[in-house]
Amino acid sequence: MRYVEMSRLVVPAAWSRHASVVKKRVADCGTSKAELTKLFKKSPYWTKLRPQLIDLVGRKCWYCEGEVSNSRLAVDHFRPKGGVVGETHLGYYWLAYEVSNFRLVCEFCNSSTDDDPTGKRVTKIHHFPLLNPASRLRAPGLSIESIEREIPVLLDPALRGDCDLLDFDRSGAVRRNDYRPRSPLERAVGVCRVEESVRIYGLDRAGLNERRSRVMRDVVFKAGVLDAPVEFEGALEMLRELIEPEARHSGAALAALRGCRDLDSVVENFSDELGIESGVGGIGRPEANTVSDLISAGFLKSGVELVGAADLGQVVAFLLPDGGLELGARSYATPTSAALAATGSADVDGWDFWHVAVASGPISLSQIRREFNGDVD
């Protein structure tokens, strides 16, 4: 899985105009499951945007990175429009025509017809588990941004931090990036987002592993050639082609190149792509000192609800993309300044005051920071 920069998507004006019309029809359906199903079947207008989605990273599935013909690529709704498995939920029907909810997917990753009767293979189509199910939206919020209160279990190719959680071994099998261990939120719920994504997207199927392994061997060979004493014309360009976002299984290719960071030529030419600091022959995990650091590392997610206990009862704030907190009509730069405003006490430590509520209970920001920095027994 490679990061797909959705901000580059060019949406035709005609598509947007018609989508606005269909959104009104969705609103007219209310909460009638039958009417919504009929509308979606009659007006699958999201498929008209497929060419523009393909232009972003080519003809490949955004989940498994397998190359697929145009006609076999479907437009998946990351938040399923028609229901959520395991819950009494109509689905995120109000997002059916929202571009931000579209992902390109192959039939195997998405189609329920490929489900394994044993239950191991479940497919993406209506699965959307959360680490904080109590925050799941069941009806349209006041804004699209209100959906950010949810903490999805499934990795999203439209989020760079999610893609950074993935790594691959030399056999092509998906595993968790050693530099991105499970967050305290995942451990509290007993879930590994990478493992669940592998299971639901079917990223461990044999054919995929074999193809990824071939790509990785090719990367290792060309990296060795690039570092050889005798210059091999075109080796650098061929390596760049293998790791570019449009290439098949470029996520695995990048992982293989990361494994070659002991080669001087790799560090010299690919330090930006691999996140290697100048003069350092490896990739380290930075220390988190701010909330913004934790968001960048994928340990926290902007938009989530934070709760704290004050003398007058529970107070709620929301995490902003820059690491600040929104409390009521005001925003605060740090957890402590927000906690001071909520309690009126100058002695409060905002890192201990604010908690993220997940299925198993609340977890403080201080605990999340300690675990990221390795300050736990």
Side-chain angles (χ1 to χ4, degrees):
M1 183 183 293
R2 283 295 297 274
Y3 170 60
V4 179
E5 192 176 350
M6 290 286 285
S7 62
R8 295 194 299 110
L9 181 66
V10 178
V11 181
W15 190 96
S16 296
R17 285 195 298 270
H18 189 78
S20 297
V21 173
V22 187
K23 288 177 187 178
K24 292 178 181 177
R25 294 176 186 167
V26 171
D28 292 340
C29 291
T31 57
S32 170
K33 178 73 171 179
E35 291 299 317
L36 288 167
T37 301
K38 183 164 60 174
L39 174 62
F40 295 153
K41 186 174 182 180
K42 182 180 178 181
S43 304
Y45 196 62
W46 47 83
T47 62
K48 301 292 185 181
L49 205 61
R50 183 166 54 188
Q52 287 75 23
L53 292 166
I54 289 173
D55 285 344
L56 291 178
V57 289
R59 295 183 296 105
K60 70 176 187 178
C61 174
W62 291 6
Y63 298 127
C64 72
E65 286 201 277
E67 187 175 24
V68 189
S69 66
N70 289 15
S71 62
R72 308 283 281 188
L73 274 171
V75 177
D76 172 51
H77 292 77
F78 184 64
R79 285 176 166 82
K81 66 184 183 301
V84 177
V85 169
E87 295 197 23
T88 305
H89 193 286
L90 284 175
Y92 297 82
Y93 57 89
W94 64 96
L95 299 178
Y97 300 96
E98 287 293 342
V99 174
S100 60
N101 196 37
F102 298 165
R103 310 288 184 266
L104 274 185
V105 63
C106 67
E107 289 180 313
F108 191 95
C109 286
N110 194 49
S111 175
S112 60
T113 60
D114 289 321
D115 277 2
D116 184 336
T118 66
K120 179 181 178 182
R121 171 82 182 116
V122 294
T123 72
K124 162 65 174 65
I125 190 165
H126 286 154
H127 288 80
F128 195 70
L130 298 178
L131 292 178
N132 58 340
S135 295
R136 188 186 297 278
L137 262 65
R138 299 179 179 276
L142 297 177
S143 66
I144 295 299
E145 288 75 19
S146 62
I147 205 76
E148 294 300 316
R149 299 176 191 178
E150 300 179 341
I151 308 177
V153 170
L154 294 177
L155 301 182
D156 184 359
L159 295 177
R160 188 186 300 275
D162 279 9
C163 298
D164 288 345
L165 296 181
L166 287 172
D167 204 349
F168 305 84
D169 63 26
R170 289 298 174 89
S171 70
V174 184
R175 61 182 178 84
R176 188 150 190 146
N177 187 338
D178 290 338
Y179 298 94
R180 296 291 185 270
R182 279 202 300 168
S183 71
L185 305 181
E186 292 174 82
R187 284 198 292 275
V189 179
V191 167
C192 174
R193 296 184 64 209
V194 169
E195 291 176 359
E196 281 299 284
S197 297
V198 168
R199 183 178 72 89
I200 291 177
Y201 294 148
L203 301 183
D204 58 349
R205 51 194 192 265
L208 272 179
N209 290 354
E210 293 168 6
R211 289 190 288 273
R212 284 191 294 246
S213 180
R214 286 198 296 270
V215 169
M216 295 177 78
R217 289 197 298 270
D218 196 16
V219 167
V220 172
F221 173 75
K222 287 183 171 63
V225 169
L226 182 66
D227 205 58
V230 180
E231 183 177 348
F232 184 84
E233 185 178 356
L236 180 59
E237 289 73 18
M238 286 187 286
L239 263 178
R240 291 200 183 281
E241 289 176 1
L242 287 169
I243 67 168
E244 66 182 8
E246 295 80 6
R248 284 187 301 168
H249 308 300
S250 58
L254 196 61
L257 192 62
R258 191 179 300 121
C260 299
R261 60 184 178 272
D262 58 319
L263 302 178
D264 293 339
S265 295
V266 169
V267 174
E268 178 183 351
N269 292 286
F270 297 99
S271 59
D272 289 342
E273 292 88 342
L274 300 180
I276 299 175
E277 297 180 8
S278 178
V280 180
I283 304 172
R285 187 177 69 191
E287 181 175 303
N289 296 306
T290 67
V291 174
S292 180
D293 292 338
L294 293 171
I295 293 174
S296 299
F299 258 51
L300 279 176
K301 177 179 176 293
S302 65
V304 300
E305 187 176 88
L306 300 175
V307 295
D311 290 341
L312 297 179
Q314 181 174 280
V315 290
V316 176
F318 298 98
L319 198 57
L320 298 172
D322 63 0
L325 280 74
E326 181 182 284
L327 178 63
R330 296 190 58 183
S331 60
Y332 298 87
T334 67
T336 297
S337 60
L340 189 155
T343 64
S345 170
D347 295 330
V348 66
D349 184 334
W351 286 87
D352 293 325
F353 179 80
W354 296 109
H355 292 71
V356 179
V358 292
S360 60
I363 300 176
S364 69
L365 292 181
S366 61
Q367 180 182 345
I368 295 172
R369 182 173 62 177
R370 284 197 305 271
E371 294 202 24
F372 180 83
N373 290 332
D375 299 332
V376 292
D377 295 331

